[in-house]
Amino acid sequence: MHPHLYITRIAPDKKFYHGKKLPLSLGIKAAKHDILVLTDADCRPATDQWLKHMVTALHSRNKELVLGIGNYKKTKGFTNLWLRYDTFTIAIQYLGFALSGKPYMATGRNMAYSKQLFQKTGGFKNHIYVASGDDDLFVQEAANKTNTAVCMAAEAHTISAPPSSFKKWREQKIRHLSTASHYKKSIKFSLLTEPVTRELFWALTLYFIFFPNFGLLILPFSLLLFLFKLIIWKKASDKTGMGKIFWGLLLFDIIQPLIIAFSHFGNLTGSKKRKWK
């Protein structure tokens, strides 16, 4: 049906778990052309213009690497709302860093780069022993402020099947966070500062509300700040195709850092031999 499609297979090995990086490396090596556009098996492009937009971002701006947006399919339920909110906050964070000239990660569900860049960087050899990292750890080695672009066109998004439960999401999150210890110190500091200051802000707001003299000053200021953030996130959610996810801001803005911290704790106490799924 597709004579131009070439498939590379890897025989199962009971003694060695291949993970994702080996098949990716073999596929990239087998590729006949220089442009590589990557996604996952459980994803689909939002439109038939996906490849066009990703490749255009790579070529028209004379870049070597393009960061795209990977959304979860919208379904009913609180868990799905949480999954899409978490994905949204991650997206605006890594896209924002990239736009400011400090790219540090991408989503493997939607990214593109040149085969030449992959070979020049040495592929995944420096972190082949880490289960994840084919996207974020690779970007930290290969990307810089001049060779990286972002593609936020709605036609270029990908849609993934969401984890079936919160437990499944947490298992996935723990695996993704396993790469955090390999990040550069400057990136670690920046990523840690935001949730800590966010929690500190909400904690102080709740604390001072119980003091009449301070409450009259703090509450209006906090509400104004929250309203400003709501407006900004409304625009960001429209731009990233997340829909009305910003309505979960008040609750999730407070609990997200706690859940992420709990997941990090799971990495510290759990098995070091995590598998990519």
Side-chain angles (χ1 to χ4, degrees):
M1 183 178 294
H2 301 286
H4 61 286
L5 182 64
Y6 178 77
I7 300 175
T8 300
R9 299 183 182 276
I10 302 175
D13 190 334
K14 294 181 179 180
K15 297 182 180 179
F16 178 71
Y17 181 78
H18 298 306
K20 183 181 179 182
K21 292 175 182 176
L22 177 59
L24 263 182
S25 298
L26 293 177
I28 290 171
K29 184 178 180 180
K32 297 180 180 180
H33 301 286
D34 188 54
I35 298 177
L36 309 169
V37 184
L38 294 88
T39 188
D40 283 345
D42 62 348
C43 293
R44 63 175 177 81
T47 71
D48 60 2
Q49 299 298 304
W50 169 56
L51 288 175
K52 175 184 175 181
H53 282 279
M54 292 296 286
V55 173
T56 298
L58 198 68
H59 266 309
S60 65
R61 304 175 197 175
N62 195 28
K63 302 296 183 180
E64 296 180 289
L65 191 151
V66 174
L67 316 181
I69 296 174
N71 295 336
Y72 276 128
K73 181 180 179 181
K74 182 180 179 180
T75 60
K76 294 181 179 180
F78 183 82
T79 299
N80 182 261
L81 180 65
W82 162 256
L83 298 181
R84 291 187 295 112
Y85 176 87
D86 184 61
T87 302
F88 167 66
T89 56
I90 293 172
I92 61 175
Q93 194 170 61
Y94 75 75
L95 293 174
F97 268 69
L99 289 171
S100 65
K102 299 176 182 179
Y104 75 94
M105 71 161 283
T107 172
R109 301 192 297 269
N110 193 7
M111 63 186 299
Y113 48 83
S114 67
K115 184 175 181 179
Q116 184 178 5
L117 177 66
F118 183 83
Q119 294 172 333
K120 180 173 61 177
T121 307
F124 309 127
K125 69 176 184 179
N126 291 332
H127 47 86
I128 193 69
Y129 57 92
V130 183
S132 295
D134 57 282
D135 40 25
D136 54 355
L137 296 184
F138 174 74
V139 167
Q140 288 193 38
E141 289 189 342
N144 57 57
K145 63 181 180 181
T146 60
N147 75 345
T148 304
V150 302
C151 182
M152 293 189 286
E155 298 86 355
H157 297 174
T158 60
I159 311 297
S160 301
S164 57
S165 66
F166 185 84
K167 181 181 178 181
K168 291 289 185 181
W169 169 83
R170 184 172 179 271
E171 291 174 352
Q172 184 185 76
K173 191 70 174 180
I174 289 175
R175 175 174 55 79
H176 289 166
L177 291 174
S178 65
T179 61
S181 61
H182 302 277
Y183 282 17
K184 298 175 183 177
K185 290 183 179 180
S186 58
I187 295 296
K188 287 181 182 179
F189 179 78
S190 298
L191 296 179
L192 179 63
T193 300
E194 189 279 323
V196 169
T197 54
R198 192 199 322 174
E199 288 296 275
L200 184 61
F201 167 77
W202 285 115
L204 290 175
T205 297
L206 294 174
Y207 177 77
F208 283 118
I209 285 176
F210 291 99
F211 294 86
N213 293 335
F214 291 103
L216 293 175
L217 295 174
I218 296 297
L219 189 57
F221 173 76
S222 298
L223 291 175
L224 184 63
L225 184 61
F226 178 76
L227 179 61
F228 178 74
K229 189 171 183 178
L230 192 65
I231 294 172
I232 296 297
W233 282 36
K234 165 65 169 62
K235 293 182 179 181
S237 63
D238 290 341
K239 192 72 174 179
T240 55
M242 301 288 182
K244 296 181 178 180
I245 196 68
F246 58 92
W247 288 117
L249 177 62
L250 181 58
L251 174 62
F252 294 148
D253 199 50
I254 299 173
I255 67 173
Q256 186 193 36
L258 302 178
I259 294 176
I260 300 303
F262 186 58
S263 298
H264 270 297
F265 181 75
N267 261 327
L268 295 174
T269 58
S271 172
K272 299 296 183 181
K273 297 181 179 180
R274 304 197 181 279
K275 295 182 178 181
W276 181 90
K277 295 181 180 179

